[in-house]
Amino acid sequence: MTLSEAYGRILREDITAAADVPFSDNSAMDGYAVRAEDSGPRRVIGEVRAGSVATMRVEAGTAMRIMTGALVPDGADAVAQIEITDRGVDIVQLNEPLKRGANIRRQGEDMRAGDVVLTRGTLIGAGELGVLATARRARALVSRRPVVAVLSTGDELVNAGESVDAGRVVNSNVHTLSALVRECGAIPQPQSIVRDTREATIAAIESALECDFVISSGGVSVGAYDFVKDALDGLGGETKFWRVAMKPGKPLFLSRVRDRLFIGLPGNPVSCMVTFTLFVAPALRKAMGASTVMPPIVNMRTLAPLRGSERRNYVRVRVIARDGELVAEPMRTQSSGATTSMSGANGLAVVQQDVREIAAGSLVPVVLIGMVGWDL
Ligand code: AMP
Ligand code: MG
């Protein structure tokens, strides 16, 4: 793919440099190319600009005006930046002595011909695009974006924008999950709401199996109208696991069906996002060939006590940079049903199973799940 198409994707080949970069020694400054051991005034014999090659040598007692990026002319072994000179036109004087090699970028300093400059599995961001272009690549082999079907189960659900009768719930999961899929570099394919019957659930999953991955929300608990596991049984799915000792997210369900991975996420909006982040996102990144798939975990102090339980708790926190370090501030509500507890949350503080409470001021591991903002 072209470089602009490759942005945000995973590289699927090692990239080697086609040539030395810089191609040969060049100037890091605007100034004068000189011989370091000379002293006294130097005669200015010409000028060399970026992109051109000097036709004259810098002999003893001479200098050549040089621009940043221009190749250093033969004979010169240092560049005097303009600020330490008298800016002379015919004769130039330096106000300070220079060391050999001063202000010269060496040939091959950035990359050497044949060096592997990017390895397969790298996520292509701005810096990587710079390396690709510099390595003389206009195209790169990158992974395809997997298509992820996003199912929402629940008789109570209505689409955002529709009228909400008593007892009905707006389908927020389809929006949060689709956005999370996109954040991983995959393509969400939202499906219409799946009603809580075995037949409807089977039909919806069956048609979704055209996609590379299928994820669903709701219907994986132990309620009388939770049909997702039944439906997978009906489709011949092989259950890999059901229920995880974590909070939120206990009902999480994973099955392999017709060569596809099906992940049944809990219906509660927070459980759904947390389990996506910890299980689905790494799986999607792995499928794309990424060499790093898990979010980073950083130890930091918590500004308020954190509650634990008989499961491993993932407490939603706002991570802020304060006085040169990161600190975690628990979100006010921790209900797994409260969408507002995920808005502004950029961390999941981990409280291990059976720990009752972690006191304010203690160091805790926090999974970083978003950008760290300023403490304003
Ligand atoms: P369930 O696991 O299907 O019993 O759902 C658990 C809770 O999550 C219930 O309160 C549901 O109403 C709610 N819920 C399920 N699916 C969604 C959804 N797509 N958007 C918002 N809330 C949902
Ligand atoms: Mg349900």
Side-chain angles (χ1 to χ4, degrees):
M1 288 205 168
T2 64
L3 295 192
S4 64
E5 291 166 334
Y7 175 70
R9 295 186 185 241
I10 304 294
L11 188 63
R12 296 307 292 259
E13 59 172 332
D14 288 343
I15 301 292
T16 49
D20 286 354
V21 179
F23 185 71
S24 69
D25 292 358
N26 72 20
S27 179
M29 292 282 182
D30 294 321
Y32 297 83
V34 298
R35 298 161 80 104
E37 76 269 20
D38 288 355
S39 55
R42 292 153 162 103
R43 194 161 52 82
V44 180
I45 58 166
E47 180 177 279
V48 55
R49 297 169 52 172
S52 64
V53 179
T55 50
M56 281 183 292
R57 269 183 74 84
V58 172
E59 305 288 359
T62 70
M64 205 179 283
R65 250 187 313 281
I66 192 165
M67 309 303 143
T68 304
L71 302 190
V72 176
D74 287 347
D77 60 11
V79 170
Q81 69 269 38
I82 203 156
E83 294 82 356
I84 66 155
T85 73
D86 66 357
R87 299 164 192 254
V89 177
D90 299 318
I91 304 282
V92 65
Q93 299 240 40
L94 310 195
N95 305 327
E96 297 172 13
L98 272 184
K99 285 210 180 78
R100 279 188 69 173
N103 303 314
I104 291 178
R105 300 181 190 137
R106 290 290 168 206
Q107 173 179 345
E109 194 175 273
D110 190 4
M111 49 183 86
R112 290 231 165 255
D115 276 0
V116 172
V117 288
L118 290 173
T119 51
R120 61 162 43 223
T122 303
L123 172 65
I124 300 176
E128 289 69 30
L129 285 178
V131 172
L132 283 165
T134 304
R136 304 189 183 179
R137 295 292 299 261
R139 307 179 73 84
L141 188 65
V142 294
S143 59
R144 184 168 73 78
R145 297 186 186 282
V147 178
V148 182
V150 182
L151 272 61
S152 317
T153 74
D155 282 339
E156 73 280 26
L157 299 181
V158 296
N159 294 310
E162 288 175 1
S163 68
V164 187
D165 294 336
R168 308 301 291 270
V169 170
V170 177
N171 182 0
S172 60
N173 291 347
V174 71
H175 298 287
T176 56
L177 290 176
S178 297
L180 290 171
V181 166
R182 197 166 290 137
E183 280 176 19
C184 290
I187 301 170
Q189 202 165 96
Q191 315 278 307
S192 42
I193 292 167
V194 184
R195 297 301 160 200
D196 287 326
T197 67
R198 190 171 185 270
E199 296 69 37
T201 311
I202 288 181
I205 295 173
E206 185 139 46
S207 87
L209 284 171
E210 285 185 4
C211 299
D212 298 305
F213 289 85
V214 183
I215 63 176
S216 69
S217 72
V220 280
S221 281
V222 290
Y225 299 96
D226 291 337
F227 287 111
V228 169
K229 293 196 321 305
D230 269 3
L232 262 302
D233 286 344
L235 288 162
E238 185 194 340
T239 298
K240 296 291 185 184
F241 63 77
W242 176 46
R243 304 220 272 197
V244 179
M246 62 188 283
K247 189 179 179 176
K250 182 176 167 188
L252 183 67
F253 171 66
L254 178 75
S255 173
R256 180 164 276 288
V257 54
R258 298 193 196 157
D259 217 26
R260 292 277 184 269
L261 220 48
F262 174 95
I263 304 151
L265 304 172
N268 276 311
V270 174
S271 317
C272 183
M273 292 183 76
V274 168
T275 49
F276 183 98
T277 303
L278 296 177
F279 292 84
V280 184
L284 293 178
R285 293 191 194 105
K286 193 161 174 56
M288 288 183 276
S291 42
T292 308
V293 300
M294 293 304 290
I297 300 182
V298 178
N299 289 324
M300 63 186 80
R301 289 189 197 285
T302 173
L303 296 178
L306 302 174
R307 213 146 338 122
S309 72
E310 74 291 352
R311 292 179 259 154
R312 181 192 289 176
N313 281 21
Y314 288 95
V315 181
R316 276 77 70 207
V317 299
R318 190 194 311 273
V319 175
I320 34 190
R322 177 176 292 174
D323 301 329
E325 47 180 63
L326 297 180
V327 290
E329 182 177 51
M331 305 303 287
R332 209 171 315 127
T333 165
Q334 290 293 331
S335 157
S336 60
T339 54
T340 48
S341 88
M342 285 303 280
S343 159
N346 56 356
L348 301 171
V350 183
V351 183
Q352 292 300 348
Q353 193 166 14
D354 296 327
V355 172
R356 284 177 59 204
E357 192 180 272
I358 293 178
S362 311
L363 273 180
V364 284
V366 176
V367 185
L368 292 181
I369 60 169
M371 301 267 280
V372 176
W374 287 268
D375 182 20
L376 297 175

